[in-house]
Amino acid sequence: MRTGYPERWGFLGLLFLGILAQPRANWCDTSSIAPRGGRSRPGQGNVIFADQQSGNDMGAKIVAADLALGSQKGEIRVAKSGEISDAVLLSQNHDLVCAGEVTLTMTTLRAKITQQSNTHVRGCTLSSMQVSAPPDGAEISSKEASNVEIDGVTFIGGGYHIAYRSISNFSIKNTRHVSITAKGTSPILVESSTEGHITSPRIEGFAVPSGDTGIRLIGINRSSYIDVSDPMIQNVDASTVPGCGGVTFTSSRSSALRGGVIRGLKNCDGVLTESTGREAASDIDIIGTVSTGHNASPGLGTNANNGEGFDIFNSRRVHLSGVTARDNGKYSGNRQPGIEVSNSTQISISDCTSNDNGVDGIRVDGSLGVSIRESHTNRNGGVGILVEPALGRVSVTEGSPIADWTPGNANMTFSAVWPALTKIVIDGAVYTIASLPSTTQLKLTKSFSGATGKYSYNVDSYAEIVGGESLDNGQSSIGLPINQKAGEREGVYFAGGFSGEITGRVTRLHAADTQNQKTQTFGIRVENRARIVANDNSLTGNLAGGIQDSPGKSSIR
């Protein structure tokens, strides 16, 4: 939605200006004369019409208008479409406002708009065909400033569209992002910033330019107290790059995503929290967001690595409440869970729905302190709720407490958030982590006792499940004999347990198969050496039984 400001003034006001202010007829003082309809913001100061300034193109005219305002608070108003071929700087307390259907075409790599503190950009359409980002910025950028705002701006092509770095107190609202042509860029990037609001952005309907680096559609990096509300992100094909996140919190803290719908993405997680090195995303609230229909079919590119509704990775204290993950990862070439919690700690999932996904409804791997309460995980292709260890490989030396991560297996490094005293199993022996100097090296509390070499490792998960339901799962196994795809068609499945510790508790869960042609084998299944406590659950009606223990290996109390 664009915001237009009226250009027509009362007849007496125009006559007065025409007689007494002819040498400066290109500006007016709105503190003494109000526009018709009273739609101008109170106290906005002077208005300069960029169209009436001299310059080779509209960018130069905007620069001239900014210069004419000097140090005064005021508005640069653009009423005609035009081109920008060079950098435009909005000085402090100056606003750029497009009145009506105005398109500003960025014609060179140098073309960009930079905001200083206390500046606003409103109502413009910015069009670009650039294949790389402008130097040090984006179509609109700001750095080391405060109180900046973008409202009702549409972006076509180019990228980054918006890049805010080291900003405090900002607002981005009602923006629309129709396409990206610059490789490796995002529609919205917020970095090292604080106290910001991103409200009702709309990102839709384009294929990401082919490239070798992953992208984030709304990327919030190393920032704090950022609130994202009601995003609409849909039909973006990121199969042309290695990976993608829709709304992404990277090494950020004390932030929130509230509401919104994210749907129809390819090779892209709808919502992603993640770390950079040992800087983890932490204290993130995700409330009422719908993430649906990702990876329903192949994309234009060859990549198919992502596609979860919600991916909580290397994070701590992330809280999902009332979210919906539905119909994700159903393409046979890239089946994905609805919600994945990986290598994380202190994660809560409450009153959430994760139904009809390609594999698991909720997958927990290598994560400690996970709480799943009053949630629904029904009709998924795999398990309703899967709890399993993190797997990988390490290089260790006999007599040394140092273990180095080695590529192999799941190819996942050590977690940035595993706390000290976490148990890790190496070559079948249980060790304890003393510290993590980096995500590729850890120190054990005692020296490795085996022979020098490379070994598989695992770190158990722990999850508590209270209330809710897990019904009619194992849909991808429909028609198969009961003894096939064990561990891929249960209501709840706990694996691992090699650390010897309890890996979970299940209380008041309804885990049953209610279909005529049943696909869910057990309500709860425990495998390997996992140990759980199960009480007051309703587990009738499954294909093979209520609870399945692995005889002689696992135990249920």
Side-chain angles (χ1 to χ4, degrees):
M1 180 174 66
R2 299 174 189 161
T3 304
Y5 283 74
E7 298 179 50
R8 297 189 299 275
W9 302 78
F11 173 77
L12 291 178
L14 285 174
L15 180 62
F16 178 79
L17 287 173
I19 294 171
L20 300 181
Q22 287 184 7
R24 300 182 68 182
N26 58 336
W27 74 278
C28 55
D29 185 350
T30 59
S31 64
S32 59
I33 303 175
R36 181 175 299 169
R39 293 172 59 193
S40 186
R41 292 183 300 109
Q44 70 181 8
N46 303 310
V47 173
I48 296 283
F49 295 92
D51 317 66
Q52 299 176 14
Q53 304 299 305
S54 59
N56 295 328
D57 61 13
M58 188 57 70
K61 294 182 178 184
I62 294 170
V63 171
D66 184 85
L67 181 62
L69 277 174
S71 61
Q72 301 177 86
K73 179 179 177 64
E75 176 184 298
I76 301 166
R77 189 175 298 178
V78 181
K80 297 179 182 179
S81 297
E83 296 182 347
I84 297 178
S85 59
D86 215 329
V88 171
L89 176 66
L90 289 182
S91 300
Q92 291 192 37
N93 301 310
H94 294 175
D95 297 346
L96 176 63
V97 177
C98 291
E101 298 293 327
V102 172
T103 298
L104 302 177
T105 302
M106 323 297 270
T107 59
T108 71
L109 184 60
R110 300 186 306 277
K112 62 180 181 178
I113 298 170
T114 301
Q115 294 179 265
Q116 291 189 331
S117 294
N118 303 307
T119 59
H120 303 164
V121 179
R122 292 190 178 91
C124 306
T125 294
L126 301 186
S127 177
S128 172
M129 292 302 294
Q130 300 303 329
V131 296
S132 59
D136 300 322
E139 272 70 55
I140 301 178
S141 66
S142 189
K143 185 177 182 180
E144 297 178 353
S146 62
N147 300 314
V148 292
E149 179 180 316
I150 298 172
D151 185 4
V153 176
T154 295
F155 298 86
I156 303 172
Y160 294 89
H161 290 159
I162 301 169
Y164 278 179
R165 295 179 171 91
S166 301
I167 303 298
S168 61
N169 296 303
F170 69 85
S171 173
I172 300 168
K173 57 185 179 182
N174 302 319
T175 58
R176 188 180 179 206
H177 308 263
V178 177
S179 59
I180 288 275
T181 55
K183 293 183 178 181
T185 63
S186 304
I188 298 175
L189 171 65
V190 174
E191 189 167 12
S192 302
S193 298
T194 188
E195 299 288 354
H197 297 270
I198 303 173
T199 306
S200 301
R202 191 177 182 104
I203 301 171
E204 58 188 343
F206 61 87
V208 174
S210 297
D212 298 327
T213 59
I215 64 157
R216 305 295 180 252
L217 301 179
I218 298 177
I220 301 167
N221 302 339
R222 293 187 173 94
S223 296
S224 60
Y225 301 103
I226 310 298
D227 193 283
V228 183
S229 300
D230 299 317
M232 172 64 77
I233 304 176
Q234 59 184 350
N235 303 327
V236 175
D237 184 350
S239 64
T240 50
V241 295
C244 169
V247 178
T248 303
F249 298 91
T250 304
S251 304
S252 295
R253 63 181 178 85
S254 303
S255 296
L257 168 61
R258 306 176 194 277
V261 177
I262 305 170
R263 62 187 174 201
L265 309 184
K266 299 183 189 300
N267 190 39
C268 193
D269 299 326
V271 179
L272 171 63
T273 68
E274 60 182 355
S275 66
T276 300
R278 297 191 66 207
E279 295 181 70
S282 61
D283 300 290
I284 308 295
D285 293 331
I286 304 170
I287 305 165
T289 304
V290 176
S291 189
T292 180
H294 310 317
N295 278 11
S297 60
L300 295 175
T302 59
N303 295 297
N305 307 309
N306 306 113
E308 291 96 340
F310 299 84
D311 187 359
I312 311 305
F313 178 63
N314 274 5
S315 303
R316 65 164 62 89
R317 294 188 301 276
V318 177
H319 311 289
L320 287 78
S321 177
V323 308
T324 298
R326 185 178 59 247
D327 289 319
N328 298 297
K330 300 187 82 170
Y331 165 51
S332 60
N334 180 24
R335 296 193 183 277
Q336 297 287 346
I339 300 172
E340 181 166 14
V341 180
S342 181
N343 280 18
S344 296
T345 185
Q346 300 177 64
I347 309 300
S348 68
I349 301 171
S350 61
D351 299 300
C352 296
T353 297
S354 189
N355 294 344
D356 303 296
N357 298 288
V359 282
D360 313 310
I362 299 174
R363 177 185 295 171
V364 178
D365 54 272
S367 297
L368 308 171
V370 178
S371 171
I372 303 171
R373 302 182 67 89
E374 305 298 344
S375 294
H376 302 265
T377 53
N378 304 330
R379 299 180 306 278
N380 294 288
V383 176
I385 301 173
L386 171 63
V387 182
E388 63 181 359
L391 305 175
R393 288 180 63 81
V394 290
S395 295
V396 285
T397 301
E398 184 179 0
S400 171
I402 301 300
D404 293 305
W405 175 82
T406 301
N409 288 2
N411 207 32
M412 187 180 294
T413 59
F414 303 136
S415 172
V417 300
W418 286 340
L421 305 183
T422 296
K423 296 291 192 298
I424 181 170
V425 180
I426 303 174
D427 190 30
V430 180
Y431 294 87
T432 302
I433 297 173
S435 62
L436 280 130
S438 73
T439 57
T440 58
Q441 187 179 85
L442 57 80
K443 183 177 181 181
L444 305 172
T445 56
K446 65 179 182 180
S447 297
F448 182 67
S449 59
T452 299
K454 297 178 180 179
Y455 299 95
S456 297
Y457 77 83
N458 71 71
V459 174
D460 278 326
S461 296
Y462 178 86
E464 290 192 359
I465 303 167
V466 179
E469 62 182 18
S470 192
L471 309 176
D472 307 331
N473 293 290
Q475 291 294 312
S476 63
S477 301
I478 191 167
L480 292 180
I482 191 172
N483 61 346
Q484 291 191 18
K485 289 195 173 181
E488 299 180 34
R489 50 195 297 192
E490 285 74 37
V492 177
Y493 180 68
F494 284 86
F498 296 102
S499 66
E501 298 187 335
I502 290 179
T503 52
R505 298 173 186 270
V506 185
T507 306
R508 294 192 296 101
L509 177 70
H510 182 204
D513 196 313
T514 66
Q515 310 162 104
N516 291 327
Q517 186 175 8
K518 297 183 182 299
T519 59
Q520 184 165 293
T521 52
F522 294 96
I524 300 174
R525 184 180 183 125
V526 181
E527 195 59 84
N528 306 123
R529 296 179 185 172
R531 299 166 57 217
I532 71 168
V533 176
N535 294 312
D536 301 322
N537 299 294
S538 174
L539 308 175
T540 60
N542 294 288
L543 183 61
I547 294 182
Q548 172 65 40
D549 187 12
S550 182
K553 296 181 180 179
S554 60
S555 62
I556 299 173
R557 297 191 302 186

